Amino acid sequence: MSLNEEYEEGEYGRAPKRLKTAEVEEGEELEEGEDSDSESAGLLGDVENVGAEKRWTATKYGPARRDNGEEAHRIAQSPVVHVRGLCEAVVEADLVEALEKFGPICYVMMMPFKRQALVEFEMVEGADKCVSCGGSEAVYIAGQQAFFNYSTSKRITRPTNSDNPNSGNKVLLLSIQNPLYPITTDVLYTVCNPVGSVMRIVIFKRNGIQAMSVECAQKAKAALNGADIYAGCCTLKIEYARPTRLNVIRNDNESWDYTKPYLVRRGSHCPLLPLPGNSRYKLSSHDVPEVVSYPLPQSSAYNNHASSSVAMVSGLHPTKMNCTRIFNLFCLYGNIEKVKFMKSVPGTALVEMGDEYAVDRAITHLNSIKVFGKRLNVCVSKQHAVIPSQVFELEDGSSSYKDFAMTRNNRFTSQGQASKNIIQPPSCVLHYYNVPPCISEDQLLRLCSEHDVPGFTKFKMFDAKPSSKTISGLLEFDSKTHAVEVLTVLNHYQIRIPNGSNPYTLKLCFSTSSHL
């Protein structure tokens, strides 16, 4: 699924990320320089102090005011209104219902991970009324007070030329953001069909769904745009697609024509996936918030996921890869329990992950990538657990077996922590976080040089909060392969500073940005 979305406004030039920060769980200690804000920002992607950069007005032309009351620049009138402070469960229909009293609305762009949206009115007078009313009295959207200001854009750029409810297009494009669990035709059918009859579904890098009529397509977009399929993940972003019809040649998990049941079928139709039974971050009934759009079924016929929580990785460089470096790379897609190199098959290792869905994600994003000049092959192992037998010494002197079950660097140890991870394929831009403020661009370049990995070509540091003990930013490399190698070597590197009692753990992940 594609996670990359480009917005017209400069401050929205990145793909949507969560701004929600989770408090440190009770009893969990933080490393020096590591606080809950920095941890959240690092896991969520490229957050550039959105609150500090956005400016908010209280009146039509009155002085602009930030949240802290400081004077800022004025923003000119625009038919596009920037909405913030939205609740997690809000969808497009909620915004239209609450704001159409100010004037006709022609387009809505949801930014669910930021709890923000852009609303374009047909006339600038509608935007004037919305901003003025929001500055003088509380305006509630889905039961929560929202805040409004003019956008710096005069029009929201539509992702496609056909993104017009009056165009007659029946095909919707669904982008699944943060897909922690597999998305199949059955999942999308179960979610969309109650809103409007579904005719065809095709899953590719993005998901298209064809509704019965124009009215049904409009209704589905309004009801589901911004909704979560599962709690805290698999968020739907919906636009009208360019194609006016979907072509389906067979019925299976990747495509389905509900008007032609005689097409070749692979497996029976089933509802939404249940949460995995052995998942470390399985939701309890107490943990499930109201953000879940549809109830999770008790059983499912879906069995296309990995049959084991152990992945087999071959094509590993004999001198440059070890257990720790495998962990550094694979931990982006799920918890790592154990890693063991196979003595009988050189360059091959078994990686036991938290559950079979983590193995699915690792295979999807890491299979066939190049690391240190060798192409990885990642597949499901026949083993159901990694047993520490035949332990030997690797060429770099490290052990061929390592247990990571208790390490703090696993990023999916709780539902709250897991929901902050954006599942992202390898890219040439890395997001770094949990770095001490005294570290400079030159020092990071020197760190790359000292560990014999490629240096970055572009560097960007995000503005940090005054109370933050760490900094974060982006590093762009010449190629995706270079970025993968740097992450493999330097992820979780211990940065020591003078007079510091504990080191800072450098944390890296792939950015949703394609370039700086």
Side-chain angles (χ1 to χ4, degrees), residues 83-87 99 134-135 137-141 144-148:
V83 186
R84 67 181 179 94
L86 299 173
C87 64
L99 303 182
E137 61 183 70
V139 176
Y140 293 88
I141 298 177
Q144 181 166 309
Q145 184 178 359
F147 303 91
F148 309 88

Side-chain angles (χ1 to χ4, degrees), residues 180-215:
L180 285 179
Y181 300 103
I183 301 298
T184 66
T185 53
D186 295 331
V187 171
L188 295 180
Y189 182 89
T190 306
V191 169
C192 299
N193 200 59
V195 182
S197 298
V198 177
M199 294 175 63
R200 301 173 187 90
I201 296 175
V202 174
I203 296 179
F204 41 97
K205 290 297 181 181
R206 291 187 177 184
N207 301 297
I209 175 173
Q210 186 170 10
M212 179 71 74
S213 63
V214 177
E215 291 75 21

Side-chain angles (χ1 to χ4, degrees), residues 19-40:
L19 290 184
K20 179 174 69 174
T21 58
E23 297 297 330
V24 179
E25 294 187 13
E26 185 177 357
E28 181 181 358
E29 296 181 357
L30 293 172
E31 300 176 26
E32 178 177 347
E34 182 178 354
D35 52 26
S36 58
D37 289 337
S38 65
E39 178 75 9
S40 176

Side-chain angles (χ1 to χ4, degrees), residues 211-450:
M212 179 71 74
S213 63
V214 177
E215 291 75 21
C216 288
Q218 289 177 319
K219 185 178 178 182
K221 182 176 184 293
L224 300 176
N225 192 12
D228 285 357
I229 295 178
Y230 297 121
C233 64
C234 302
T235 303
L236 295 172
K237 180 172 176 58
I238 304 176
E239 306 102 19
Y240 289 94
R242 285 192 180 95
T244 57
R245 177 184 171 85
L246 296 177
N247 295 318
V248 177
I249 60 175
R250 65 176 180 270
N251 291 340
D252 58 15
N253 283 328
E254 300 299 321
S255 62
W256 203 289
D257 189 334
Y258 297 94
T259 67
K260 298 179 180 179
Y262 52 82
L263 292 180
V264 178
R265 302 170 67 94
R266 297 186 180 179
S268 58
H269 187 70
C270 63
L272 288 171
L273 297 173
L275 293 178
N278 64 338
S279 173
R280 276 192 163 202
Y281 42 91
K282 179 182 178 182
L283 290 176
S284 65
S285 58
H286 176 73
D287 294 327
V288 179
E290 293 182 356
V291 72
V292 181
S293 301
Y294 295 90
L296 299 174
Q298 298 300 314
S299 62
S300 172
Y302 176 73
N303 56 8
N304 196 40
H305 57 75
S307 57
S308 169
S309 60
V310 178
M312 184 170 69
V313 187
S314 58
L316 298 169
H317 194 282
T319 61
K320 295 185 177 181
M321 290 299 287
N322 55 34
C323 294
T324 298
R325 291 182 175 182
I326 290 177
F327 172 86
N328 289 343
L329 181 59
F330 278 72
C331 73
L332 273 60
Y333 304 103
N335 286 335
I336 307 298
E337 300 288 331
K338 303 168 188 174
V339 177
K340 184 183 79 169
F341 278 77
M342 301 175 67
K343 191 172 185 178
S344 59
V345 187
T348 302
L350 297 178
V351 182
E352 183 177 342
M353 306 190 73
D355 54 51
E356 59 269 27
Y357 295 102
V359 174
D360 276 336
R361 296 191 291 269
I363 294 173
T364 299
H365 297 298
L366 298 181
N367 186 39
S368 296
I369 68 168
K370 276 193 172 182
V371 186
F372 301 121
K374 298 181 71 66
R375 192 173 298 278
L376 297 187
N377 179 37
V378 186
C379 61
V380 181
S381 172
K382 295 180 180 179
Q383 305 294 325
H384 291 276
V386 171
I387 301 173
S389 59
Q390 292 186 313
V391 178
F392 59 97
E393 189 176 279
L394 299 177
E395 292 191 29
D396 66 354
S398 64
S399 174
S400 65
Y401 169 81
K402 194 167 183 179
D403 191 326
F404 294 95
M406 301 305 294
T407 180
R408 292 188 58 201
N409 292 327
N410 270 318
R411 304 182 183 185
F412 296 77
T413 54
S414 67
Q415 172 62 26
Q417 189 183 39
S419 65
K420 293 187 292 183
N421 291 283
I422 299 297
I423 304 301
Q424 178 70 13
S427 69
C428 63
V429 180
L430 294 182
H431 180 85
Y432 71 88
Y433 57 102
N434 202 50
V435 173
C438 60
I439 296 297
S440 65
E441 177 181 358
D442 291 337
Q443 288 173 303
L444 289 176
L445 276 172
R446 187 161 58 251
L447 185 64
C448 293
S449 177
E450 291 172 353

